[in-house]
Amino acid sequence: MSWWDETDGGTDEDEPYGQYDESSVRVRPNPKGNRPRTKTRPSYDDAPTGWVTNVDRGRFGVLVTSEDGEHVVTATKARELGRKSVVTGDHVSLAGDVSGDEGSLARIVRVAERTSLLRRSADDSDEVERVIVANADQMLIVVAAADPEPRTRLIDRYLVAAFDAGLDPILCITKTDLADPTSFLAHFACLDLRIVTSRADDVPFEALHELLDGKVTVTVGHSGVGKSTLVNALTGSTRAIGVVNSVTGRGRHTSSSSIALRVRDGGWIIDTPGVRSFGLGHVQPENVFRAFASHAVTVQDSPDGIPLDQAHDWEIVDRVQNGELGTTGVERLDSFRALLTGMGAEDPGTA
């Protein structure tokens, strides 16, 4: 006989389970939290804003300006941003602890629309782009007159990337005490470039400050050209300075990420790691032309009846063929043709 039998005259009240009802049942809590899930997300319209000054292994330094002055906040990327990248130069909105106190951590919840975007790819055939810097105004291309030897084709790539990003290029020649840069500069004679020269014992502070004042300038350059030395002199920074290998002639990388530094007399410099190559797989071939001739036909200027992808000014080709640009013009045209054909475009020499 069981421990309870309805034949023994027992009632429902006598049943062990009869003394409980549904209200007595304990409901297990939601393992993901007790708040109901919703697709409604906060707008962050009143969120404090800041400017990303550096990126380091998933942590972002963000400069925040308030009534009490400026301070740097350490932040991480919020989940709602998904795969959207955050890079040095981005204007962002923040949530969480924005005090900037030691150990505090905020979240970047929104990235503002970018006015410019400097990118590069692994090589010319790789369409996967790597974003380097956002919202810069101009590009300072640093190249040494010697040690290491200047590479005109690398400078050509920087120029293409600058024009593609909407940045105004400036060419800075360092180490002119080691070699005369005249023949090198002749390569860019057909461009209206702003050029500054520098010696080891004579940094042209006045000329550079005039160009950098009130601007956000991204610096690029081959490893070992003296870029970090120049940036340290202009900003008071103490970033590591590399040396050139006497055997290979190559410079050593001294920085691994981009960082924004305030120029002493105004403006900002975003110093980027030195590179030995600069892929342009993300650039449309028609955007290459501005870096090679003083004039180029834009989409708005395209003559009626001519397809946009063919509406280019072949001025440099004509000037080379007419002998106007001499040997340097031939070299420049060769660089031009190599870039375009490497990107799968038509060779201008056969157009």
Side-chain angles (χ1 to χ4, degrees), residues 109-148:
V109 294
R110 181 191 295 164
V111 179
E113 184 177 353
R114 293 156 169 165
T115 58
S116 65
L117 197 60
L118 179 62
R119 305 164 292 172
R120 75 180 179 94
S121 56
D123 54 54
D124 292 344
S125 61
D126 186 0
E127 295 183 358
V128 178
E129 63 186 41
R130 177 186 176 186
V131 179
I132 303 174
V133 167
N135 301 313
D137 300 310
Q138 54 190 13
M139 176 190 286
L140 182 66
I141 302 170
V142 184
V143 57
D147 192 31

Side-chain angles (χ1 to χ4, degrees), residues 71-136:
H71 64 279
V72 175
V73 172
T74 300
T76 186
K77 191 173 75 169
R79 182 178 298 176
E80 51 257 54
L81 287 181
R83 293 181 177 274
K84 186 174 182 61
S85 64
V86 179
V87 299
T88 302
D90 268 327
H91 296 283
V92 298
S93 297
L94 300 168
D97 190 345
V98 296
S99 65
D101 296 338
E102 184 176 356
S104 64
L105 185 65
R107 302 191 323 276
I108 296 176
V109 294
R110 181 191 295 164
V111 179
E113 184 177 353
R114 293 156 169 165
T115 58
S116 65
L117 197 60
L118 179 62
R119 305 164 292 172
R120 75 180 179 94
S121 56
D123 54 54
D124 292 344
S125 61
D126 186 0
E127 295 183 358
V128 178
E129 63 186 41
R130 177 186 176 186
V131 179
I132 303 174
V133 167
N135 301 313

Side-chain angles (χ1 to χ4, degrees), residues 48-54 60-66 69-75 88-94 98 100 108 260-262 267-268:
T49 59
W51 187 58
V52 178
T53 58
N54 68 286
F60 305 87
V62 184
L63 181 69
V64 175
T65 303
S66 65
E70 295 179 341
H71 64 279
V72 175
V73 172
T74 300
T88 302
D90 268 327
H91 296 283
V92 298
S93 297
L94 300 168
V98 296
I108 296 176
L261 302 166
R262 196 188 300 272
W268 288 85

